[in-house]
Every structure is written in structure tokens, then in C-alpha cells.
Amino acid sequence: MSLEWRARSTSLAWSNPLAWWWGLLTLVSGVNIAIWFLLYGRLRDQPGGALGGAPGIGLMLLLCAAYVFGCALRSFLPRADVQRICLFDTWLSSVVVGRSVATVAEVCFVAQWAVILHPLGLMTGADTTLNAAWVIVPLILIAECFSWYAVLTTNYLGNAIENSIWAVAFFVVGIALCRLLPEFDGRVRVALAMTVVGIAFYLMFLMTVDVPMYLSRWRAVVANGGRHLHPLEGLRDVCTRWVVTHDLAEWKGEIAWMSLYFSAAVWASLALCVVYSLQDDLPRYLTEATVAISAPDTAAVVSNPPIPTTGL
């Protein structure tokens, strides 16, 4: 059985590695959607709260849904914004649609981290973690502005700055989680340590692969005397122009980050829902010193944890 799509005199068949890559993205996204529905069913049926066992779990599931389904759409219809390239000739492949979906999804993803960090900071009395919860959403909103600037003007420098801000935001998250390590024992401390390691690998990828790639593209355009679009000119361009290409060379620079983004990052979003649903169990993993200092505050946080809404 062969797979073939016709678009602007190009075709994509199973002999093309892009077909296998697209098929893998689609499969992973389908599984991610199934996991979200499974989590929704399980957490909805738990006692306590309007939805699930933990107060605010409904909001967490909603934020996760925006990220899971947003990434799924971008997996089904891959595109590269600045280059205006895509795999399928459909208006859903337009940059303005894809970038808008990505903006909402990414803000919701970082909001999940804020919703997780805030009650943990209150539970342990960790001001560093509390401050991180309030800072990361505004940081990502700024990053999204640079992303849109890059997309509208076709200036890769905006992408480099955007991803640098993502690195700063998750460096802050990593510091916040490190601050929590001495406050917990047992499996919670192990989970925190594993998350910090995962963030460290993410930061390494950003600073050694992603940001240098965009800086290299920016320098190449400048060296060749390339012209950047005016933002208003770019707005019309992102609404009307998308170029279908099945040339592996055109996609080579996008495959690595897209593959990680639409798999590991989505798994992190789903995992945050699971962690949040277990927050009632977290106090029993607090160290004795932490319990002695923050026992009254811990009870209040568990019964009704405040949810940061900055940027939402």
C-alpha cells in the first residue's frame, strides 16, 4: 500500500523519509490525545472538587487540552513559519492559523507550570518557587511577541530571542524545583530531581542546537543581503502564502525540534495533570523540618490552593 498526496506538482510517498516522519508524528499525537481523554475520565470520576480529586484540576486539564490538541494539529499539518513551507495544501496549513494555535498552546503549557509551582511554594514556604510561578507566564508572553515578530518579518533573529527567553523561563523553573528538593523526601524528591534533569537536557538542546540554528540562518540572510518584510506586509503574507514542499532538505532543520516538541513536551504537559491530581498526598512527603515550619499553611494550601492567573 502506498501513501501519496498530490500538491503543486509534488508528491509524498512512503519512499520519502518525510512520510515516515509525518506518520510517526501523527501516531504519537493520536496516542497523546487518547491519554488526555483517559486522564479526563479518571480524574473526573475521582471524589472531591467539581472535577477530580484536587481543587483546580479542571483548569489543569483544560490547559493541558489546549496544548495536547494544539500540538496534534501542528503534527497532522506540519509547517515551518518563517520559511512558509508545509506538507499539505490547505488553509489550515497557513502560518497565521498555525502560529495562532501555537501561541495559545504554549501560553497554556507554561501556565500549567505556574499552577503547579504556586501551591508547592505555599506548601513549603519557598519564596523562590512562588516568585517563579508568577514570572514564567509573563516571560513566555514576551517570547511569543518575538515569535510573531520573526514570523511576520521573516527575521530569524526574533526566533533566536524567543527561544532564548524560553531557556530563561525554564531555567527559572529548574531553580524553583531545585529549591523544593530539600523540602521533600522519598519519591517526590526523586520526581523533582528527574524533572530538573529533564529541564537541563531541554536547556542544553535550546542553547546548543535551537538558538544557534536560528542565529546561523539570520547571519546567512544578512550575509546574502536578504530583505525582511515589514510587519504589515508580513501579516498579509502569513494569511495568503504557504508553499507545499516534500523536499527533505527543506525540512531537515525542523525535524529534530518538532519531533521533541510534539512528543516529550506533550508528555510533560500530561504528567503535570497527574502530579496536580496527587497534590493531596504531597504533604506526607514533606521533611520533618518543613512540616514543623509550615504545617498551618500546608493545610490551607491543600484545602484551597490559590491558582496564579497572570497572563491568562
Side-chain angles (χ1 to χ4, degrees), residues 7-226:
R8 300 184 188 180
S9 301
T10 63
S11 62
L12 180 63
W14 284 120
S15 58
N16 189 332
L18 284 176
W20 291 96
W21 174 63
W22 174 81
L24 182 60
L25 288 183
T26 301
L27 175 62
V28 170
S29 294
V31 172
N32 290 339
I33 290 173
I35 293 174
W36 184 87
F37 277 108
L38 178 63
L39 286 178
Y40 179 84
R42 292 287 182 88
L43 298 180
R44 178 192 59 189
D45 293 338
Q46 288 181 1
L51 179 65
I57 190 63
L59 173 61
M60 182 63 81
L61 285 167
L62 180 62
L63 295 172
C64 181
Y67 195 65
V68 170
F69 288 92
C71 288
L73 177 62
R74 297 172 67 195
S75 295
F76 299 151
L77 300 171
R79 54 169 227 297
D81 292 337
V82 176
Q83 303 94 309
R84 310 290 197 260
I85 62 174
C86 59
L87 283 183
F88 304 104
D89 189 7
T90 167
W91 66 271
L92 287 172
S93 292
S94 69
V95 176
V96 69
V97 171
R99 189 65 248 161
S100 297
V101 169
T103 299
V104 173
E106 289 169 356
V107 172
C108 287
F109 177 58
V110 77
Q112 282 188 275
W113 284 96
V115 170
I116 284 283
L117 291 175
H118 195 270
L120 288 175
L122 289 176
M123 185 184 300
T124 58
D127 289 340
T128 301
T129 305
L130 282 172
N131 292 335
W134 291 111
V135 163
I136 56 176
V137 173
L139 275 175
I140 296 307
L141 288 174
I142 295 172
E144 295 299 332
C145 292
F146 278 103
S147 177
W148 274 100
Y149 170 79
V151 169
L152 293 177
T153 63
T154 66
N155 189 339
Y156 287 110
L157 183 60
N159 290 129
I161 297 173
E162 172 207 359
N163 283 279
S164 297
I165 295 175
W166 273 94
V168 171
F170 272 85
F171 179 77
V172 170
V173 171
I175 294 298
L177 296 179
C178 287
R179 171 61 183 85
L180 295 174
L181 283 173
E183 310 297 340
F184 290 96
D185 282 324
R187 66 183 65 183
V188 174
R189 180 178 291 183
V190 172
L192 288 170
M194 291 176 62
T195 305
V196 170
V197 171
I199 289 174
F201 277 108
Y202 171 62
L203 295 178
M204 189 182 305
F205 177 82
L206 283 178
M207 302 316 297
T208 62
V209 177
D210 225 35
V211 173
M213 176 185 71
Y214 288 120
L215 286 175
S216 176
R217 292 178 180 179
W218 170 65
R219 293 191 189 102
V221 171
V222 172
N224 293 329

